[in-house]
Amino acid sequence: MMPALAAQRRGWRCLNRLYLRCPAAQLSRVCHGWQGSMKCGSLSHILPCSRLPAQSLSQVRVYTSDGQKKGPVPGPEGAVHKPGTARDTGSAGQKPLLLQEPIQVKVKAVLKKREYGPKYTQNNFITGVRAINEFCLKSSDLEQLRKIRRRSPHEDTEAFTVFLRSDVEAKSLEVWGSPEALARERKRRKEAEIEYRENLFRNQKLLKEYKDFLGDTKPRSSTASMLLKGPGKVVMVAICINGLNFFFKLLAWVYTGSASMFSEAIHSLADTCNQALLALGISQSARTPDPSHPYGFTNMRYIASLISGVGIFMMGAGLSWYHGIMGLLHPQPMESLLWAYCILAGSLVSEGATLLVAINEIRRSARAKGLSFYQYVRLSRDPSTNVVLLEDAAAVLGVTLAATCMGLTSLTGNPYYDSLGSLGVGTLLGAVSAFLIYTNTEALLGRSINPEQLQRLTELLESDPVVRAIHDVKATDMGLSKVRFKAEVDFDGRVVTRSYLEKQDIEQLLQEIQQVKTLEELEAFMLKHGENVIDTLGAEVDRLEKELKQRNPDVRHVDLEIL
């Protein structure tokens, strides 16, 4: 084995001598590991760097375009070779094998960073309406400014015209002369607007008085029409029937003095007041959104139902318990109960009719939403109809319970049965009010939609080619089958860019690229097409929002945040 090693060393020594005969220009190349296929004359050979007797003495310094020196590039062993060091002392007095080459300088192009102030508005756009209102300009003043067509954020318009805010500010100073004069004009217009609103309120009040005096001949408004169909119709029917029941039950209680009849009269009064409150909630929920309430007033139905549940508990359950306890503590004999039985029978028929109306309305609405009767009631999809349903169901059970207890009192002559019937009606009303308070509170807190529906929305987004992934998905039920959907979307930049390129002339774009020679031209090229790519991304967001609303009519508001 030793002769083999000696032969190998002699072979490497011969190859090293051959390497030193190569031209000096080839020695300036830096070696890493094994040198690959170097030509020396007509001989090709491969050498490991650890066997080389000499190294390149050239240095490379890197400078940036702003004049900053980065320093020399380190050599193969991580250190820069400097003359006069310990490595040169050993070879002092000897003739150098290679001549030192001149220093190579590489310039790295760096775009100069632009400093933006705390309030940078040079590139901000402003609509014509805002320009006229905020800078006190006329439409004729805007005709002289640069007009820019932008993608519209609204669904009813595809594009609209905007202006550069810097141009509008300069124009306002040209028109008014100074910022102080502009501020005075703004103040004057604000005072005029306040005065106009006061006059408008005064005129509306006078107009109302005029209509009350001569009569209003306008067609029925949408608010009034809502009270004559669907849940509004159910509520109005319940108000009329419960009002009549309260009147007749009150007469029966005055005639008989029955505690159960008093509880039923209070029950009907509570139902009438609560259903009047529901009618108010339905009318308020039909109001159009305004700047103070951008998502509308649909929750007014839940608020009215919640207050109704509290009213049932306080008026119905509380007074029924009080009268029942007083009857147990101080029992009194009752008069003839014949009229009370007749009135209870009439109440049973009327309450049963209202209950059937509410049941039919809920079945129709549940069938339209693809839900069962129980799911529709439990999820409180229509709080107004649910209140009427539960109140009438409690009324039918309460009338049956009151009639049973009054019959036991007539048969036995014991007034305690009648007091126990009052306590039973109060307990029934307390259970109904607790259910109404719980379901409407859950709705007002903003609960999520069904997991199956949320999964369908998620799959629709993830199946789109432009979407890589979605995160933090939230879908909130805003009430009355209105859903607000929010998600953070990770868009595929390559697909967005390809979508932009498909709409461009590639040959013309290639010519623009070939014409780029300086850093300024490169910056202008990138800014132009970069802004267009961002506009394409915005158009993709609009497309996804539109598809979500089309395939899921319950989704009214979509918020897609870009990761």
Side-chain angles (χ1 to χ4, degrees), residues 214-522:
L214 295 179
D216 189 4
T217 58
K218 292 178 59 179
R220 183 177 292 113
S221 61
S222 59
T223 302
S225 63
M226 289 189 64
L227 296 176
L228 299 179
K229 63 180 181 180
K233 179 182 178 180
V234 176
V235 172
M236 296 304 296
V237 170
I239 289 176
C240 297
I241 292 179
N242 285 320
L244 292 175
N245 288 340
F246 165 71
F247 178 72
F248 288 112
K249 288 178 182 179
L250 184 64
L251 292 179
W253 171 72
V254 172
Y255 179 75
T256 62
S258 170
S260 297
M261 186 57 65
F262 176 80
S263 298
E264 279 301 307
I266 293 298
H267 184 184
S268 297
L269 175 62
D271 289 349
T272 304
C273 295
N274 291 330
Q275 286 153 7
L277 184 62
L278 292 177
L280 177 62
I282 291 176
S283 63
Q284 291 296 316
S285 65
R287 295 169 59 187
T288 56
D290 55 24
S292 301
H293 305 85
Y295 291 106
F297 299 85
T298 55
N299 284 336
M300 282 301 300
R301 294 195 183 189
Y302 294 101
I303 295 175
S305 300
L306 178 62
I307 299 175
S308 176
V310 176
I312 292 174
F313 183 81
M314 298 297 294
M315 293 180 60
L319 289 177
S320 297
W321 285 333
Y322 171 77
H323 208 75
I325 293 174
M326 294 302 296
L328 292 176
L329 296 178
H330 308 285
Q332 295 179 359
M334 292 185 298
E335 301 295 334
S336 175
L337 300 178
L338 177 62
W339 286 104
Y341 291 141
C342 295
I343 292 174
L344 287 178
S347 297
L348 182 63
V349 174
S350 61
E351 298 286 0
T354 309
L355 180 61
L356 289 178
V357 173
I359 290 176
N360 291 333
E361 178 63 24
I362 290 179
R363 282 180 177 175
R364 184 184 64 81
S365 301
R367 193 181 306 113
K369 297 297 180 183
L371 299 174
S372 64
F373 184 88
Y374 172 74
Q375 288 177 336
Y376 191 88
V377 174
R378 182 177 59 84
L379 296 176
S380 189
R381 293 289 182 179
D382 188 356
S384 303
T385 308
N386 285 352
V387 171
V388 174
L389 171 70
L390 296 176
E391 285 182 347
D392 291 340
V396 171
L397 294 177
V399 167
T400 305
L401 182 60
T404 302
C405 292
M406 290 171 62
L408 291 175
T409 299
S410 299
L411 293 176
T412 61
N414 187 355
Y416 287 112
Y417 289 109
D418 185 64
S419 300
L420 292 176
S422 179
L423 292 176
V425 172
T427 303
L428 183 62
L429 293 177
V432 171
S433 64
F435 180 79
L436 291 176
I437 291 173
Y438 172 75
T439 54
N440 288 282
T441 301
E442 287 290 317
L444 288 172
L445 288 176
R447 60 193 172 194
S448 179
I449 62 176
N450 294 330
E452 295 80 6
Q453 186 179 3
L454 182 60
Q455 182 65 24
R456 288 197 300 268
L457 295 175
T458 304
E459 291 177 353
L460 176 61
L461 282 179
E462 290 180 338
S463 61
D464 197 277
V466 80
V467 177
R468 281 177 173 168
I470 60 174
H471 310 277
D472 194 21
V473 181
K474 294 183 178 66
T476 307
D477 187 358
M478 301 176 60
L480 301 181
S481 301
K482 293 183 179 180
V483 177
R484 180 181 180 183
F485 182 81
K486 177 261 178 186
E488 294 186 359
V489 184
D490 184 6
F491 286 92
D492 192 341
R494 297 182 179 180
V495 177
V496 174
T497 306
R498 188 175 291 108
S499 176
Y500 167 69
L501 293 176
E502 290 174 355
K503 304 174 184 178
Q504 305 300 316
D505 187 352
I506 299 299
E507 294 182 356
Q508 181 180 358
L509 187 62
L510 180 59
Q511 293 177 2
E512 293 181 8
I513 296 175
Q514 293 174 350
Q515 293 175 359
V516 173
K517 302 299 181 182
T518 62
L519 292 178
E520 290 75 12
E521 293 177 353
L522 176 62

Side-chain angles (χ1 to χ4, degrees), residues 195-205:
E195 183 180 358
Y196 169 77
R197 290 181 179 178
E198 293 176 354
N199 294 334
L200 180 63
F201 176 76
R202 190 181 302 110
N203 294 334
Q204 287 178 346
K205 186 176 180 181

